[in-house]
Amino acid sequence: MSWPVANTLMIEPTESENKEELDRFCDALIEIRKEIEEVEKEKQPRERNVLKMAPHTQKDLLLGEWGRTYTREKAAYPLPWLKEKKFWPSVTRVDDAYGDMNLFCTCGPVETIDGMTGAAAPAPT
């Protein structure tokens, strides 16, 4: 996936993706569209809906009061196959779109190896 033009998304699968994986990706996009439609039809609020609050961490889902207009199950498993193949994000959004566009690194400084950095440096063993 890439974003070649502002407010666009380009999806170009590689040959390494099998049909099952591409079908799961398409199912996810269809489900996201349904969630958008719920907001459009005012079945979900514009601000605190399942899309705006995503991703949902285990901590979000398991601890404390829920207080959202959708269920914890919908947040955790929007598609049935996710009950078997779920990726759990470790953090939620960082300051919404600002955090998405203004990334920061908490890593230590990059050290040089005999004057080489980045791609020129040898791979660690």
Side-chain angles (χ1 to χ4, degrees), residues 40-111:
E40 290 172 339
K41 292 183 176 182
E42 298 182 355
K43 293 179 181 177
Q44 287 292 320
R46 292 191 73 76
E47 294 304 317
R48 293 186 51 86
N49 59 64
V50 72
L51 290 171
K52 287 278 191 161
M53 302 301 288
H56 299 86
T57 64
Q58 288 178 331
K59 183 178 177 183
D60 286 341
L61 295 165
L62 299 174
L63 301 178
E65 295 294 320
W66 184 242
R68 299 183 186 177
T69 59
Y70 51 92
T71 66
R72 292 177 196 248
E73 184 172 8
K74 181 176 176 96
Y77 308 112
L79 293 167
W81 55 265
L82 286 170
K83 292 180 180 177
E84 299 294 325
K85 296 182 179 186
K86 176 70 177 180
F87 168 80
W88 290 102
S90 57
V91 295
T92 57
R93 288 186 183 210
V94 179
D95 196 16
D96 204 21
Y98 178 85
D100 293 342
M101 293 186 295
N102 297 281
L103 302 177
F104 61 92
C105 179
T106 60
C107 308
V110 176
E111 301 294 329

Side-chain angles (χ1 to χ4, degrees), residues 12-19 21-22:
E12 186 176 12
T14 66
E15 297 82 15
S16 62
E17 301 298 338
N18 62 34
K19 185 173 181 326
E21 188 63 26
L22 293 174

